[in-house]
Structure formats: structure tokens, C-alpha cells
Amino acid sequence: MKTITTTADLAAFCAEAAKRDYVTVDTEFLRERTYYSKLCLIQLAYQDDTGDDAVLVDPLAGDLSLAPLYDLFRDEAVVKVFHAARQDLEIFYVDEEVIPKPLFDTQVAAMVCGFGEQVGYETLVRKIAKADLDKSSRFTDWSRRPLTDAQAKYALADVTYLRDIYEFLADQLRSSGREKWVKEELAVLEDPATYRADPADAWKRVKTRNNAARFLGIVKELAQFREQYAQDRNIPRTRVYKDDALVELASTKPQTEQDLGRSRLLLREARKGDIAAGILAAVKAGLAMPNGDLPKPDRRREKLQVNPAIADMLRVLLKAKAEGEGVAQKLIASSADLDSLAAGDRDVMALRGWRKEVFGADALRLCDGEIGLAVDGQKVIAVTL
């Protein structure tokens, strides 16, 4: 197995990969102690018989530039194949604002092809490549050098078996005519907005029971300060303060460092210095925020009156459609989608694109009383009323 540590060697490999239809990609990274992922290893492979078709790329080597790899990512003649690509793509976007295109995610494709929900790589290796993975190196420290033989073998397996998985799933999609389904699903992964963490929007991830506008205004300011502070220093946001402490601060509205000292949940190091000053400034800004600028919670779901009988019928219909199509239920519609449909909401993902073809159109007809459900042997079918 070859480890690439120079730009010249990476360029040579990428030049060969550019002659192929696809290249498989994976990464190993650490994120426990940082805000942004620390890229520790990149694995690449293409289909060839030379023995030089799979490599490890060491981004920690001081004289290595990833420019040749990013050029390959921009080459739309070569499909870039990942499994569960979200975190890998975020690394490359944060580093160079590049998103590999065209993109193929075998986890998404496997759900479309009937392998279940959020199917893992190990499962696909076992079912498609007919092999077993050695998982002993999964949680090792990938930043330490030199890598052990076990680590290198584990890392390469993440892209070598991926070739067989990709070819199998791509063939399945072509045969079933579902390539456009996967393309629709990958639109989110190909959207740069997916990887931008705007501090001004951080409050939307904080779960609270209190939806009072002023309270949410303070939550917004505290979340924005925390996110910006964590980004600037590249530390996890939980190292600044956790969500439960943030909600407590929004409730108690501390005005002084002495007030911060009374917090039950705030970390000791956050009760003084820059973090303490930031907290107090955020609380002050939240209290002073004009009424017109206060966050407005999405109350649409609170107003929805879910008809439980319709919701139950929709669940039966979804199960029948998913089994009939060989597609994971949750990929078609979430439980929240079904409740929304049963309450009359028509702005749901289940009514868009391929989901509407598979399930949404009949779901609407069921809600409108145009069709019913019947048992045909061991199957549930839709019947026109």
C-alpha cells in the first residue's frame, strides 16, 4: 500500500484517476477537541489492475498541497464516490470551498435500492462485496504518525470495497430508472449552504420549551456569541457553554459576573474573562433588541390539528408503498410529514419530486377520500372509492 506525502505524487495519482469514470474517496479526521474537523487522512481509489489503484494521502505531511485533488474534484468527467458523504464534504468545503461534482453517495443510493435506513458501510461490504471488515482501528487516533499497518489496511478498505458497492448500486439504479431519485437527494449535499455555519442562525438548533419572543431574543444573542467564539478559536461550542447553560442564562438574564457565579450549569472558566464578558453583552443585546427584530418561532405545527385516524392510514399506506418499491420508509416520508399531511398541511417533502410519484400523490388522494385501503392476500393496496 502506498502513502502519498508529496504534491507531485498526489498530482500523478490524480492524473491517472482523471482517466477513469469514477474515483472513490473517504477521509479520517478528528473533531473531539476542535470546532472544525482536523483532516488526518484521505483515501482514494479507482478501478485498475496495476496494483497502484488505491492510496493513502497524508495531509499532515508538511510539503503536501491538496490542489491536485481539488482539481480532480472539479473535473465533471469523473464521478466522485463517497459513503455517507456529509462530514467529508464539509471538510473540503471549509478548506477550499470546493464540492466534488458529479457526486455519488452510496448510503443514499443504498436506501433508494432497498437496503434500509441509514445503512452502514460495513453492511454494504458484507452484502455486496461479500467481505468482512476489521473494525479494530475505527476509533484510533488518526493524527498520530506513523500509522500502523492495521490502520492503513482499515483505511484502504473504506475505498477499495467502495468500488464494488458503487458499481453494484449504479447498475441497480440504471435498471430501475431511479438515478434521478438519487440526484434529487444529493442536491442538499451539493449545496454550499449545507456547510455554512452562520452564527446568526445558531439559535435555531437550541431546543427550548419557552417560545416567548424576548426569551428567544436572548437565546439568539447567546447562541450567536458562542458560535462565533468557538469558530474564532476552533474549539467545540460545548467548551464555551452547553445548551442547558445557555437556556439557563436566557432565563436568569445575568447582569454582572457575580450573577454568573450563581449559575448552576455554567462552566467555571466561563464565569470570568472573555466568555463572561461575551455572555453579559449578549444578554444585554437580547434585552435591548427591538420588538420587530425578535425571533419568531415557527408555530405552524402548533396550530395543526392532526386527525389521528388519517395519520394512521397514511402510515399504513407509506409502509405498503415502501415495501412495494423496496425503498426505506423514512427516505420517503418522516413521521412529522405524515402528521402534517393528516392536518391539512401540503408544504412537506413527501409531496415533492420522486416522493410524490411513489407516495405523495396517493397520500393526497387518501386524505381527500378518493381512495381507500384494502387487503389483497398479504398486501395492502389502494382502491378507488
Side-chain angles (χ1 to χ4, degrees):
M1 61 188 72
K2 180 178 180 180
T3 300
I4 289 177
T5 58
T6 68
T7 306
D9 284 346
L10 179 58
F13 180 87
C14 290
E16 285 299 314
K19 301 174 184 177
R20 273 68 180 183
D21 293 331
Y22 70 88
V23 60
T24 55
V25 189
D26 191 40
T27 69
E28 305 298 341
F29 57 87
L30 299 177
R31 199 170 189 171
E32 290 81 2
R33 299 178 182 178
T34 57
Y35 182 92
Y36 300 106
S37 296
K38 179 181 180 180
L39 181 59
C40 299
L41 195 67
I42 304 169
Q43 303 97 281
L44 302 169
Y46 52 76
Q47 196 67 286
D48 191 65
D49 297 325
T50 65
D52 295 323
D53 54 356
V55 296
L56 305 178
V57 181
D58 188 355
L60 302 183
D63 58 349
L64 176 68
S65 166
L66 295 181
L69 178 61
Y70 292 145
D71 287 340
L72 179 63
F73 282 172
R74 296 184 183 99
D75 185 347
E76 298 199 10
V78 182
V79 178
K80 271 63 72 172
V81 182
F82 293 78
H83 180 82
R86 170 67 176 78
Q87 292 188 81
D88 300 319
L89 297 180
E90 181 182 7
I91 291 171
F92 298 127
Y93 183 80
V94 169
D95 184 49
E96 189 66 20
E97 293 192 353
V98 61
I99 296 176
K101 292 184 180 181
L103 176 68
F104 191 96
D105 189 322
T106 55
Q107 186 176 71
V108 174
M111 288 192 286
V112 170
C113 291
F115 282 85
E117 298 161 5
Q118 303 297 316
V119 61
Y121 181 67
E122 181 188 0
T123 298
L124 295 181
V125 170
R126 186 173 65 253
K127 291 185 175 181
I128 296 175
K130 309 302 181 184
D132 293 314
L133 293 179
D134 178 1
K135 301 179 292 182
S136 60
S137 297
R138 177 176 295 178
F139 299 111
T140 56
D141 184 350
W142 292 99
S143 67
R144 298 188 65 178
R145 294 295 183 270
L147 296 175
T148 66
D149 289 343
Q151 283 179 305
K153 183 179 179 181
Y154 169 87
L156 275 181
D158 281 347
V159 287
T160 51
Y161 292 123
L162 191 55
R163 297 176 299 197
D164 298 327
I165 294 168
Y166 166 68
E167 292 185 2
F168 177 88
L169 293 175
D171 184 62
Q172 290 278 86
L173 293 172
R174 282 190 294 269
S175 299
S176 64
R178 295 181 180 179
E179 291 170 294
K180 67 174 185 177
W181 294 16
V182 173
K183 187 174 181 179
E184 285 183 32
E185 295 305 297
L186 294 181
V188 173
L189 292 176
E190 294 174 340
D191 184 356
T194 301
Y195 311 104
R196 294 177 185 143
D198 187 347
D201 293 329
W203 69 277
K204 297 176 182 177
R205 295 193 299 267
V206 180
K207 295 181 179 180
T208 69
R209 294 182 179 179
N210 185 347
N211 284 326
R214 183 61 57 188
F215 171 82
L216 291 179
I218 301 173
V219 168
K220 180 177 181 179
E221 293 292 338
L222 286 167
Q224 181 168 331
F225 163 71
R226 178 180 67 173
E227 201 76 9
Q228 193 66 64
Y229 188 93
Q231 288 180 3
D232 291 345
R233 290 158 180 79
N234 195 23
I235 60 173
R237 63 177 67 90
T238 54
R239 286 266 303 276
V240 187
Y241 41 82
K242 297 181 180 180
D243 281 3
D244 55 358
L246 188 155
V247 172
E248 180 193 44
L249 292 168
S251 300
T252 58
K253 307 175 186 63
Q255 306 296 306
T256 66
E257 285 192 12
Q258 186 175 9
D259 292 337
L260 293 179
R262 300 189 184 98
S263 170
R264 295 182 302 109
L265 303 173
L266 195 62
L267 298 172
R268 181 173 299 176
E269 53 268 32
R271 302 182 186 195
K272 57 185 178 180
D274 292 342
I275 297 179
I279 290 172
L280 298 177
V283 171
K284 184 177 180 180
L287 290 171
M289 187 180 297
N291 290 338
D293 295 338
L294 291 171
K296 296 177 177 59
D298 185 355
R299 299 186 181 277
R300 287 184 304 164
R301 289 195 58 79
E302 295 177 10
K303 297 176 181 178
L304 293 177
Q305 297 297 315
V306 178
N307 185 316
I310 295 177
D312 287 343
M313 286 193 293
L314 286 170
R315 284 172 170 78
V316 174
L317 177 65
L318 174 62
K319 188 173 188 297
K321 292 289 187 179
E323 289 179 351
E325 295 287 347
V327 182
Q329 288 186 52
K330 287 185 179 179
L331 187 63
I332 301 174
S334 66
S335 181
D337 281 344
L338 300 182
D339 287 343
S340 294
L341 284 169
D345 185 6
R346 298 298 179 255
D347 184 22
V348 296
M349 284 290 293
L351 299 181
R352 302 173 195 161
W354 68 268
R355 290 177 172 82
K356 185 173 183 179
E357 297 175 24
V358 171
F359 168 74
D362 276 350
L364 288 177
R365 295 173 66 202
L366 181 66
C367 291
D368 293 339
E370 297 176 7
I371 63 172
L373 301 177
V375 176
D376 181 14
Q378 298 297 312
K379 298 188 297 182
V380 172
I381 60 172
V383 293
T384 303
L385 299 177

